Amino acid sequence: MALFSNCFLLVLLIVSRGVISVSGATFTFKNKCDFTVWPGILASAGSPKLDSTGFELAKGSSRVFQAPTGWSGRFWGRTGCNFDGSGRGSCATGDCAPGGLECNGAGATPPATLAEFTLGSGSQDFYDVSLVDGYNLPMVVEGIGGSGACASTGCVVDLNRGCPTELRADGGGACKSACGAFGTDEYCCSGAYNTPAACKPSMYSQLFKSACPKSYSYAFDDATSTFTCSGADYTITFCPSLPSLKSSRDSSPVATGTTIGGSGSGSGSDSGTIQQASFASSWLANLATGDAIRTRPLAFETAIVLVVSWILSFLHL
């Protein structure tokens, strides 16, 4: 009897360990956009492929995937896709070359908003939402039922509405990163700039960070952008509810009088700092209203004021 009990306990232990190793985490994808999204999935080297590497997610729908413990990879949303009956085709943003409904080991073509995960083996999970490769969709990641901080992260602002002209992708459906737009070592944190000490946030990455303070804005933006949780399931939501303009402004880490480092930051003079802070503030306001960034010279606006003043004075004569 004792031998049977011991064997039974051993079987339970083996089965329970097997369940734990297989269960890992559940990923639930939700589409709250007003249009269809085609999520893409890329498993890291050494991680198994999930049930799909790319699929259609209609407006208002959801889909669940199971990932084993230790799984690592990334998710993103594709837009403007057109596939035939055999799954051949392409997408306007986030396409996984050479194209197709299933990505089959190919990553997202930048610019694309990325959700990145590493599920711990009996320890913490690590996750983030990255704009390092640019942006195409609002996305939020939430940890459900775990222990630890398990904070929600992501970017709920539609950056496409106020994307600077020089970063705007063809068609306006996505916003490039500075690295993607200009390709220099300074913006890409490569070459001589491949260290945290050498690669600093640029004016453009600061704009992304101001709008989406919990997301990666450039390669070494680790301190405020990587999150941990243990034993959780995760929900990835495309186009979550947008915050108010006030909450977007309150979350901005850019403070007046603080020099923005990195490429494009100028000489670091007070006038350059003020201009960049003003640029960031107006950019956030334009995101909420949907207006493009205004670049009219100050002299033009001054002339308008003078003309209006002259007309008013004439009318009072």
Side-chain angles (χ1 to χ4, degrees):
M1 187 71 178
L3 178 60
F4 175 81
S5 299
N6 290 337
C7 290
F8 181 72
L9 290 175
L10 180 59
V11 170
L12 283 179
L13 180 61
I14 293 173
V15 170
S16 66
R17 285 181 175 176
V19 170
I20 291 172
S21 64
V22 171
S23 63
T26 297
F27 291 112
T28 301
F29 293 85
K30 294 183 177 181
N31 180 13
K32 293 188 177 181
C33 301
D34 291 330
F35 47 85
T36 299
V37 173
W38 289 262
I41 302 176
L42 176 63
S44 302
S47 288
K49 184 179 74 172
L50 302 187
D51 288 345
S52 174
T53 61
F55 58 98
E56 180 177 335
L57 195 64
K59 171 186 173 181
S61 65
S62 62
R63 182 168 174 179
V64 177
F65 288 84
Q66 192 72 36
T69 299
W71 187 87
S72 177
R74 56 177 51 178
F75 310 119
W76 68 97
R78 295 171 289 173
T79 65
C81 300
N82 187 13
F83 301 113
D84 62 21
S86 61
R88 291 190 298 264
S90 60
C91 301
T93 73
D95 202 18
C96 42
L101 178 61
E102 293 279 347
C103 290
N104 292 321
T109 300
T113 313
L114 304 175
E116 302 174 313
F117 286 87
T118 297
L119 303 181
S121 299
S123 59
Q124 291 181 324
D125 301 335
F126 291 85
Y127 58 98
D128 66 80
V129 170
S130 174
L131 308 179
V132 174
D133 287 339
Y135 166 99
N136 70 329
L137 279 175
M139 177 195 290
V140 163
V141 171
E142 299 173 275
I144 309 297
S147 60
C150 300
S152 299
T153 183
C155 184
V156 298
V157 177
D158 185 359
L159 299 182
N160 295 329
R161 296 173 66 184
C163 182
T165 302
E166 59 270 33
L167 301 186
R168 193 171 300 150
D170 293 342
C175 191
K176 299 177 183 179
S177 66
C179 174
F182 309 119
T184 64
D185 287 347
E186 285 181 282
Y187 286 128
C188 297
C189 295
S190 57
Y193 294 88
N194 191 25
T195 64
C199 194
K200 301 298 183 182
S202 69
M203 179 179 72
Y204 296 106
S205 68
Q206 286 282 21
L207 293 179
F208 280 21
K209 196 68 174 178
S210 296
C212 306
K214 289 186 175 182
S215 298
Y216 262 90
S217 60
Y218 78 109
F220 295 113
D221 189 16
D222 300 89
T224 59
S225 308
T226 301
F227 298 87
T228 60
C229 189
S230 297
D233 294 319
Y234 297 94
T235 300
I236 298 95
T237 304
F238 301 106
C239 303
S241 299
L242 298 180
S244 66
L245 175 61
K246 182 178 185 300
S247 63
S248 296
R249 285 175 174 170
D250 290 344
S251 65
S252 171
V254 179
T256 303
T258 301
T259 302
I260 300 175
S263 302
S265 61
S267 61
S269 64
D270 291 340
S271 61
T273 300
I274 293 171
Q275 288 175 352
Q276 289 172 349
S278 176
F279 179 40
S281 298
S282 64
W283 188 68
L284 285 173
N286 288 327
L287 284 175
T289 61
D291 294 336
I293 296 173
R294 297 179 176 87
T295 56
R296 291 180 299 185
L298 181 60
F300 176 81
E301 295 183 356
T302 302
I304 293 295
V305 172
L306 290 174
V307 170
V308 171
S309 299
W310 179 81
I311 292 172
L312 291 175
S313 298
F314 177 79
L315 291 175
H316 281 86
L317 290 177

